[in-house]
Amino acid sequence: MSDVYSLYLHIPFCRHRCAYCDFNTYSGQESLIPAYVKALCAEIRYVGQTAPYRLPVHTIYFGGGTPSLLPADAIALILKACHEAFDVIPEVEISLEANPGSITFEWLKAVRRLGINRLSLGMQSAHPDDLRLLERQHDFFDVSQAVRWARRAGFDNLNLDLIYGIPHQSLSRWQETLERALGLHPEHLSLYALTIEHTTPFHHWVARGLIPSPDDDLAAEMYEWADERLSQAGFVQYEISNWAQPRGGDLLMCRHNLQYWLNAPYLGLGAGAHGFANHTRTANVRGIKAYIDRLAQLTERPFPLTPATEQAQTIDLLTEMQETMLMGLRLTREGVSQQRFYERFHQAMEEVFGSTISYLVNLGLLEWREERLCLTRRGRLLGNRVFIEFVGETRPR
């Protein structure tokens, strides 16, 4: 059976670029939205036409930026292009990221009718001081109102994004944020430790001593408390930063993100989007105007490249094995399956990484659960320490 694909569609528009964000986003360019949507539809159709066969697609993800800035008719055009270019399965998961302060009830009803069936709201915090420091353009009332509207519009698969380890954020303030998020009864929660990226105002503020650097010990305490509290609330952790509620015997995991963690093929389309297909990693040109101009030319490129592709790298077998290990180990319940690894690479996991695995097991960072290699509880807190052992060498340890 052919691999199923995922589509990542990048929407790079924002009303305001937040102080901690290093994503490919731009404010003040909303006038380019119609031309951008036209270019994105052209890229979708292009890669569909150059693919070796009509690709089956099981997840579509609108990321950003702020995808909720798109009018519903623009989203309809993009989804129409996806259905024309690919074999979109009937049970497709279609996720859309939204900022709580940039949506209306009418818009939510419209996009739900279009087939968007998973909504991810960037709540980040419930505390006004945290939101002010992050330069978020909403408050907790906006979040709770967005959730009410989403439910009335028919959304029954809702994620909230939260950030912990924010400068000046105490453990009790983080606990209050998580409790208020739980009070909104989401099906899914994504919890991210704040990282200071070099290109952001946060990095400049830390360098000048205007805000303190994140406290790693406090962040670890926040993470461990959240894990316990979410377990009490009926959530199941399935990835280092993600928890889901069960429904009908299944977990409401984000199927799109599972595609990344399984190192499975996905097409990244839009300005600055990254993809992985046909053993090739791709990265598109970042600028909105440059992206639009490139898609107006439609120069011939082999699959999975498109006219917008700025970088392409062929991934060799060992690198793909290494990336499969470090991505798969993020899955806290599933880990990396020996059987799946062998079926994919025709080599046993221990044949390739045996000494590295033994080393990390002896450190108490990895453990075997039947036929699966998984992070231990301690390993989840030291994930980067584990992952680095699987990359960067010509041969594994």
Side-chain angles (χ1 to χ4, degrees):
M1 179 179 176
S2 300
D3 286 326
V4 289
Y5 278 69
S6 291
L7 303 181
Y8 173 79
L9 309 175
H10 191 68
I11 311 300
F13 301 94
C14 279
R15 286 187 179 146
H16 172 78
R17 186 178 174 90
C18 299
Y20 62 93
C21 176
D22 75 333
F23 296 145
N24 188 45
T25 65
Y26 305 87
S27 60
Q29 298 196 37
E30 289 88 337
S31 63
L32 293 175
I33 286 178
Y36 183 83
V37 169
K38 181 180 178 182
L40 180 56
C41 290
E43 188 181 23
I44 291 167
R45 293 189 179 99
Y46 182 96
V47 75
Q49 290 167 359
T50 58
Y53 54 91
R54 189 170 172 85
L55 302 179
V57 166
H58 74 131
T59 72
I60 301 172
Y61 194 101
F62 289 80
T66 310
S68 50
L69 290 179
L70 293 185
D73 59 355
I75 293 172
L77 289 173
I78 295 168
L79 289 176
K80 181 174 182 286
C82 291
H83 282 274
E84 290 173 354
F86 305 105
D87 183 15
V88 179
I89 70 168
E91 304 81 18
V92 61
E93 174 193 89
I94 309 180
S95 302
L96 186 141
E97 294 178 351
N99 278 356
S102 69
I103 53 179
T104 65
F105 176 53
E106 292 301 321
W107 181 87
L108 284 166
K109 285 196 298 184
V111 299
R112 182 67 190 92
R113 284 195 297 266
L114 291 174
I116 306 295
N117 53 24
R118 185 176 183 276
L119 192 67
S120 182
L121 294 172
M123 173 177 164
Q124 315 311 2
S125 175
H127 199 281
D129 289 350
D130 294 338
L131 294 170
R132 193 176 303 114
L133 183 62
L134 295 171
E135 296 188 348
R136 298 294 294 177
Q137 304 295 295
H138 71 267
D139 56 24
F140 183 71
F141 173 79
D142 294 325
V143 178
S144 57
Q145 179 173 259
V147 170
R148 288 195 302 273
W149 284 344
R151 298 307 193 194
R152 285 174 56 199
F155 284 95
D156 63 358
N157 193 355
L158 179 67
N159 172 65
L160 298 177
D161 277 350
L162 302 177
I163 297 176
Y164 62 94
I166 300 168
H168 308 299
Q169 183 187 44
S170 63
L171 176 61
S172 61
R173 202 150 94 189
W174 164 241
Q175 291 170 333
E176 178 189 357
T177 281
L178 190 57
E179 293 293 351
R180 297 186 80 176
L182 287 171
L184 297 175
H185 307 292
E187 284 74 29
H188 191 283
L189 283 163
S190 297
L191 278 47
Y192 300 111
L194 179 72
T195 55
I196 305 297
E197 305 292 351
H198 284 279
T199 58
T200 64
F202 259 41
H203 182 265
H204 179 64
W205 298 344
V206 168
R208 294 183 59 195
L210 301 177
I211 59 173
S213 297
D215 183 331
D216 291 342
D217 291 336
L218 178 58
E221 189 178 355
M222 291 174 170
Y223 179 86
E224 290 186 295
W225 180 86
D227 187 29
E228 266 186 51
R229 180 66 185 93
L230 290 176
S231 179
Q232 294 169 6
F235 282 81
V236 177
Q237 186 183 29
Y238 69 96
E239 193 270 343
I240 287 179
S241 302
N242 288 273
W243 286 257
Q245 287 275 14
R247 178 188 289 167
D250 293 320
L251 276 183
L252 288 172
M253 299 182 286
C254 178
R255 286 162 45 200
H256 181 85
N257 286 343
L258 280 172
Q259 193 84 354
Y260 302 150
W261 297 320
L262 293 172
N263 204 22
Y266 66 96
L267 301 174
L269 307 172
H274 291 243
F276 172 58
N278 198 29
H279 308 290
T280 303
R281 294 212 175 273
T282 60
N284 277 358
V285 63
R286 292 173 60 87
I288 294 175
K289 187 68 167 60
Y291 174 80
I292 293 169
D293 290 344
R294 284 192 178 216
L295 266 301
Q297 299 171 18
L298 292 182
T299 52
E300 290 188 21
R301 311 289 295 277
F303 177 83
L305 280 60
T306 77
T309 305
E310 187 172 55
Q311 298 176 34
Q313 178 188 8
T314 301
I315 303 300
D316 62 49
L317 181 62
L318 177 60
T319 301
E320 192 166 329
M321 289 177 175
Q322 292 169 329
E323 292 176 350
T324 297
M325 295 299 296
L326 68 93
M327 297 298 289
L329 285 171
R330 292 189 63 91
L331 296 170
T332 53
R333 292 200 324 155
E334 183 174 342
V336 182
S337 160
Q338 284 182 315
Q339 179 179 345
R340 182 176 288 170
F341 188 95
Y342 185 82
E343 289 173 351
R344 177 170 181 170
F345 298 112
H346 308 293
Q347 293 185 62
M349 189 195 311
E350 290 157 293
E351 179 185 344
V352 184
F353 298 110
S355 58
T356 298
I357 292 169
S358 296
Y359 172 70
L360 293 168
V361 167
N362 289 335
L363 288 179
L365 302 177
L366 291 180
E367 63 185 2
W368 287 103
R369 297 179 200 157
E370 296 180 351
E371 303 298 315
R372 299 178 179 277
L373 186 67
C374 303
L375 290 173
T376 62
R377 186 174 179 84
R378 178 168 171 259
R380 295 178 203 175
L381 294 171
L382 300 170
N384 289 338
R385 169 75 179 82
V386 175
F387 304 148
I388 200 168
E389 292 293 331
F390 290 96
V391 298
E393 301 291 336
T394 56
R395 290 296 303 171
R397 176 186 292 272

